[in-house]
Amino acid sequence: MGYGPAGPSRIDGVILWRQNSLFSASFQNTSIADIHLSRIKNKIPCAVFNVSPTPAVFQRVLWFSAPVGFAMKDDDGLTAGFHSIQQLHANVAAVPDGLCWVSILSCLLLACSYVGSLYVWKSDLPRDHPAVIKRRFTSVLIVSALSPLFVWAWKEFTGIQPGPSLLALMGIRLEGLVPAVILPLVLTMVLFLGPLIQLTMDCPWGFIDGIKVVVDPCFWTLCLSDMRWLRNQVVAPLTEELVFRACMLPMLVPCAGPSTAIFTCPLFFGVAHFHHVIELLRFRQGTVSGIFLSAVFQFSYTAVFGAYTAFIFIRTGHLVGPVLCHSFCNYMGFPALGTALDHPNRVTILSFYVLGVVLFFLLLFRMTDPLFYGLPTPVCTLTSTHGSICA
């Protein structure tokens, strides 16, 4: 077996993969010191890596397309072994018994802790009162700060030993940070193209006036002094995405796979918003039937939105993207289709509504391509299931 450009002085392993696809591995009780890309004579890409002197043991294998094989160094030299997909499945660490039950119960406990923290304070005031908001800030920030302990305890209990660090699994990392800040937010703004055009048409300010307001420190001082603005634009997006995406998805992906986890995780998020029903009934803010219909609609909307941000989290491997998208959507609210239909320029606005949706689906996979954010993303290393979500 020959190699192209000179690699490291000591080669402990080689991983081969087909063109434009990836095959990677993490090792138990070993650490990858560095990775060198080279090519073998038949032009199949390969990764040559150095590990510690202890024997490298495959703990989990992840691939996004049909891998060619791998070669490991033994006492007699470099031994190559080429395997089929079925043979490579045998190298993947088996999912521990009861993992899914442990994961689901951990997510349920985390969701109950988050919602329960909102009600540890007894008050006869409505949820939008500044005093209530401040108290809830305190309790929900404490729960959010402790939420990584749930993931750590789950990891210790199940015995799963991921390659990336706990913070990386939760989307807190530097690799690919700049595109993670920009691309998901731009993609979400494309989806809201219709409402944004409608907002622009109805805004009494000109473009220059709007820029002046945005850069005015007094504007931001006013926003930061508004408890409801802080809740909707900062605290709620940050804590909810941390708890319901960054902490839950690493626990759900190993047992359910990335695709199923995307649609399972939002159920906890949607159910968590049912607590608004209690307050609406308590303060008699509407009829019982109207309140429950509103709750069902909110559950559906938040579940769909939760699936979207879960998709972004898995594809980008970053927490910042879902947080910014969450904050933006809280600001925009649900699209006012009724107002758009009654607008004097409804043809133009509705055209942008349709254009935004079409462009969104065309750009969805392109703008969240893991290649922009560091492939594979950390949470994808927790599963052996290959598919379009992680690729």
Side-chain angles (χ1 to χ4, degrees), residues 111-112 114-115 118 244 266-276 299:
C112 291
Y114 185 90
V115 176
L118 302 174
F244 291 95
L267 299 180
F268 298 98
F269 182 59
V271 170
H273 283 73
F274 261 109
H275 72 91
H276 294 312
F299 170 80

Side-chain angles (χ1 to χ4, degrees), residues 272-328:
H273 283 73
F274 261 109
H275 72 91
H276 294 312
V277 175
I278 300 173
E279 298 186 353
L280 293 174
L281 291 173
R282 181 183 174 189
F283 293 100
R284 299 177 181 177
Q285 297 177 357
T287 63
V288 175
S289 59
I291 290 172
F292 275 98
L293 283 175
S294 175
V296 170
F297 173 78
Q298 188 178 38
F299 170 80
S300 303
Y301 176 64
T302 53
V304 172
F305 172 78
Y308 171 58
T309 54
F311 175 86
I312 291 176
F313 180 84
I314 290 179
R315 293 275 290 176
T316 66
H318 279 277
L319 175 62
V320 63
V323 170
L324 292 176
C325 293
H326 194 148
S327 180
F328 173 77

Side-chain angles (χ1 to χ4, degrees), residues 5-312:
S9 58
R10 174 174 171 271
I11 298 176
D12 283 285
V14 179
I15 294 178
L16 313 177
W17 67 90
R18 293 194 188 281
Q19 192 71 34
N20 299 324
S21 60
L22 179 67
F23 172 82
S24 64
S26 60
F27 296 87
Q28 190 175 23
N29 300 322
T30 63
S31 60
I32 299 178
D34 50 54
I35 297 177
H36 300 264
L37 296 180
S38 60
R39 292 177 180 273
I40 60 176
K41 288 183 177 179
N42 58 1
K43 302 300 182 182
I44 298 176
C46 65
V48 181
F49 54 86
N50 287 341
V51 296
S52 60
T54 57
V57 181
F58 274 110
Q59 193 253 350
R60 183 169 294 272
V61 178
L62 168 70
W63 65 90
F64 297 92
S65 185
V68 176
F70 66 89
M72 295 297 298
K73 184 177 181 181
D74 55 21
D75 294 337
D76 298 325
L78 194 65
T79 303
F82 292 87
H83 298 259
S84 64
I85 292 293
Q86 292 76 15
Q87 289 172 315
L88 280 167
H89 267 294
N91 290 320
V92 180
V95 174
D97 293 336
L99 172 64
C100 287
W101 282 110
V102 174
S103 300
I104 291 173
L105 289 175
S106 299
C107 292
L108 186 60
L109 180 60
L110 189 54
C112 291
S113 299
Y114 185 90
V115 176
S117 69
L118 302 174
Y119 293 95
V120 295
W121 312 99
K122 291 186 177 180
S123 175
D124 294 328
L125 299 173
R127 65 186 293 266
D128 287 335
H129 193 281
V132 174
I133 295 175
K134 287 180 181 179
R135 291 174 180 174
R136 290 184 169 183
F137 277 1
T138 302
S139 55
V140 82
L141 286 172
I142 291 174
V143 170
S144 300
L146 295 175
S147 60
L149 294 178
F150 283 78
V151 186
W152 176 83
W154 165 86
K155 183 171 68 73
E156 294 298 316
F157 184 82
T158 59
I160 290 180
Q161 300 297 326
S165 66
L166 183 63
L167 287 178
L169 286 176
M170 295 172 57
I172 303 172
R173 60 194 183 104
L174 293 177
E175 184 182 11
L177 180 60
V178 173
V181 170
I182 298 172
L183 296 182
L185 181 58
V186 172
L187 178 64
T188 308
M189 293 175 72
V190 168
L191 178 62
F192 279 81
L193 183 60
L196 286 172
I197 294 298
Q198 182 178 347
L199 187 64
T200 302
M201 288 182 173
D202 295 338
C203 183
W205 299 335
F207 178 76
I208 301 299
D209 293 330
I211 295 297
K212 289 180 179 179
V213 170
V214 170
V215 298
D216 187 355
C218 294
F219 169 75
W220 292 106
T221 302
L222 184 63
C223 289
L224 293 174
S225 62
D226 185 347
M227 290 296 103
R228 288 186 298 178
W229 186 91
L230 275 176
R231 179 192 62 192
N232 296 336
Q233 309 306 135
V234 180
V235 177
L238 177 60
T239 59
E240 289 180 0
E241 294 305 320
L242 175 63
V243 170
F244 291 95
R245 246 66 70 185
C247 289
M248 290 189 181
L249 282 170
M251 294 190 288
L252 292 172
V253 165
C255 85
S259 300
T260 304
I262 284 174
F263 295 100
T264 303
C265 187
L267 299 180
F268 298 98
F269 182 59
V271 170
H273 283 73
F274 261 109
H275 72 91
H276 294 312
V277 175
I278 300 173
E279 298 186 353
L280 293 174
L281 291 173
R282 181 183 174 189
F283 293 100
R284 299 177 181 177
Q285 297 177 357
T287 63
V288 175
S289 59
I291 290 172
F292 275 98
L293 283 175
S294 175
V296 170
F297 173 78
Q298 188 178 38
F299 170 80
S300 303
Y301 176 64
T302 53
V304 172
F305 172 78
Y308 171 58
T309 54
F311 175 86
I312 291 176

